Amino acid sequence: MPTAHLKLWRGDDTGAYQEYDVEYAEGMVILDVVHLLQATQVGDLAVRWNCKAGKCGSCSAEINGKPRLMCMTRMNTFVPGETISIAPMKTFPLIRDLVTDVKHNYGVARKMLEFAPGAPAADGDYRMQQIDIDRLQEFHKCIECFLCQDVCHVIREHPDNLNNFIGPRFILQLAQVAMHPLDTNEKSASTADHWGVDYCNITKCCTDVCPEGIHITDNAIIPMKERIVDESFDPIRAIGRKLFGKK
């Protein structure tokens, strides 16, 4: 059986990396190897996981410095004998070992703009174009692994921005509401300053780490930035607001 050489973070903020050798079977993923380590050598290892199918987003970590899901990272993608570094997500407070406190994200979720559909047609049905359904369907693929939040340097390198910038996962959620053809929220509600969409400088790092392959930057962030510019700086809209009081 092949042997994996792991360099694993242990402890809290004052902890350190420790190295372990773990024998594993062909076809395993990083999460399997971490579970083997937990079962055979380090019984008190803290690791969060649930579905082991890439759909719950629980086993987010940083593997060789890149935010990834442990359950979707196969061992055969590493060079035999390579030291594999496994660390907790760095953007969120560390609880212990590989487990971080992501409750900030749930606080942001509670503040998000809610979908507000208008009245249905006279026959009681709602109707949308297929192109609108296809666009929104991509946004619904998010599994809330928060890897995009973790890798976003706007909050990773500047923690103070957490209070002013909702981050890529929630810009995606904002776009999900704002771009819905049946939503009746005022356009200004999705372009307000408190979302902090303008903080993003479009590096596409969030798109690069998304395990669902969502085009967060191109299909959500950039359109939301364009919407803000259109709402705030379009001179025709400004004249319309002055003359007719339209928002």
Side-chain angles (χ1 to χ4, degrees):
M1 295 177 66
T3 299
H5 185 65
L6 305 182
K7 184 179 178 182
L8 194 77
W9 182 266
R10 296 301 316 278
D12 54 18
D13 288 330
T14 61
Y17 283 101
Q18 295 185 22
E19 299 190 27
Y20 306 93
D21 288 318
V22 184
E23 288 189 347
Y24 67 96
E26 295 293 338
M28 284 188 170
V29 295
I30 283 287
L31 185 60
D32 292 323
V33 178
V34 169
H35 281 164
L36 277 175
L37 175 65
Q38 187 183 50
T40 59
Q41 300 181 47
V42 191
D44 64 344
L45 176 64
V47 55
R48 181 181 286 139
W49 70 285
N50 189 11
C51 75
K52 201 186 165 190
K55 293 301 177 185
C56 74
S58 299
C59 64
S60 299
E62 298 193 5
I63 302 171
N64 285 352
K66 182 176 181 179
R68 306 179 71 169
L69 292 178
M70 289 190 285
C71 72
M72 298 301 289
T73 306
R74 294 200 165 275
M75 291 300 298
N76 62 10
T77 61
F78 301 99
V79 177
E82 173 185 358
T83 296
I84 304 171
S85 171
I86 308 176
M89 292 190 288
K90 291 183 173 62
T91 298
F92 306 109
L94 178 60
I95 296 176
R96 184 166 67 86
D97 298 340
L98 301 180
V99 179
T100 51
D101 184 354
V102 296
K103 66 183 177 185
H104 167 80
N105 297 294
Y106 301 119
V108 175
R110 285 192 288 270
K111 300 175 184 176
M112 291 305 298
L113 187 67
E114 295 184 5
F115 174 54
D123 60 4
D125 289 336
Y126 288 100
R127 291 180 175 81
M128 296 190 297
Q129 295 295 320
Q130 186 63 45
I131 189 173
D132 293 321
I133 297 173
D134 293 340
R135 176 171 60 178
L136 295 172
Q137 193 62 39
E138 180 187 23
F139 298 161
H140 285 288
K141 290 165 60 180
C142 176
I143 61 173
E144 293 194 325
C145 61
F146 303 127
L147 291 177
C148 61
Q149 298 284 94
D150 179 48
V151 79
C152 177
H153 62 88
V154 176
I155 48 182
R156 185 185 179 99
E157 298 173 12
H158 307 279
D160 291 346
N161 288 336
L162 278 170
N163 296 322
N164 306 306
F165 177 59
I166 58 176
R169 186 277 171 269
F170 296 104
I171 297 178
L172 185 75
Q173 186 172 338
L174 188 65
Q176 189 173 313
V177 174
M179 296 181 189
H180 200 295
L182 301 179
D183 183 61
T184 60
N185 282 295
E186 292 288 351
K187 192 173 185 180
S188 58
S190 63
T191 59
D193 290 342
H194 62 260
W195 304 122
V197 178
D198 56 316
Y199 278 64
C200 174
N201 56 11
I202 321 178
T203 60
K204 292 193 176 184
C205 54
C206 53
T207 298
D208 290 341
V209 301
C210 179
E212 286 294 318
I214 303 171
H215 296 85
I216 304 171
T217 310
D218 291 341
N219 294 348
I221 295 176
I222 291 177
M224 287 307 301
K225 280 180 170 286
E226 291 172 342
R227 174 178 283 248
I228 289 171
V229 172
D230 182 48
E231 177 69 12
S232 303
F233 303 106
D234 185 339
I236 304 301
R237 283 184 174 274
I239 293 171
R241 282 194 291 268
K242 281 192 173 183
L243 293 179
F244 308 108
K246 293 184 177 180
K247 297 182 179 181

